[in-house]
Amino acid sequence: MAKRENDSFSVKDLMGSFIKENNLNKGFQKIHIEEAWVKLMGTGVASYTDGVKLQNGTLIVRLKSSVLREELNYGKDKIIRMINEEMGEDLVRKLMLV
């Protein structure tokens, strides 16, 4: 019978290494950025959101309401800062509300 090693790893560490080894970071970032948008902006803003997409450091948010678009335009810097804090790294450098 093979001897069992006593090394233990957390599931989080194992998933992190699996994601890194298989170059899946961008895919997971896309999923997490959408979740972060809904979490930070709330269900009210999320209900007027058609799509959230991260492309080359630019977060592109498609909104159904022009009034909401104008309101969010005033707080772009704060939104970028909040998203980056939620993601744990500086992914978003620019925010486009379309």
Side-chain angles (χ1 to χ4, degrees):
M1 185 183 284
K3 189 172 183 177
R4 184 174 173 181
E5 291 186 26
N6 204 10
D7 294 337
S8 61
F9 301 100
S10 71
V11 174
K12 181 180 180 181
D13 293 338
L14 291 173
M15 286 299 294
S17 63
F18 177 79
I19 290 167
K20 194 173 190 178
E21 287 174 12
N22 293 301
N23 294 326
L24 300 174
N25 278 338
K26 288 187 180 184
F28 276 97
Q29 287 173 347
K30 289 179 183 178
I31 293 169
H32 291 301
I33 203 107
E34 291 174 14
E35 292 172 352
W37 176 261
V38 172
K39 178 181 175 185
L40 294 172
M41 303 311 290
T43 56
V45 174
S47 67
Y48 287 100
T49 303
D50 270 339
V52 178
K53 182 175 158 183
L54 181 64
Q55 186 174 9
N56 298 328
T58 302
L59 183 64
I60 303 167
V61 180
R62 192 169 301 281
L63 297 167
K64 299 175 190 175
S65 169
S66 60
V67 175
L68 178 61
R69 185 179 312 116
E70 284 301 313
E71 286 291 319
L72 293 178
N73 250 335
Y74 293 115
K76 277 185 173 182
D77 293 332
K78 183 177 179 182
I79 293 170
I80 291 170
R81 192 171 50 252
M82 287 171 36
I83 294 275
N84 284 333
E85 284 177 12
E86 181 69 26
M87 296 298 290
E89 55 185 309
D90 288 337
L91 294 174
V92 180
R93 292 186 303 276
K94 182 179 174 185
L95 175 63
M96 280 181 56
L97 302 169
V98 293

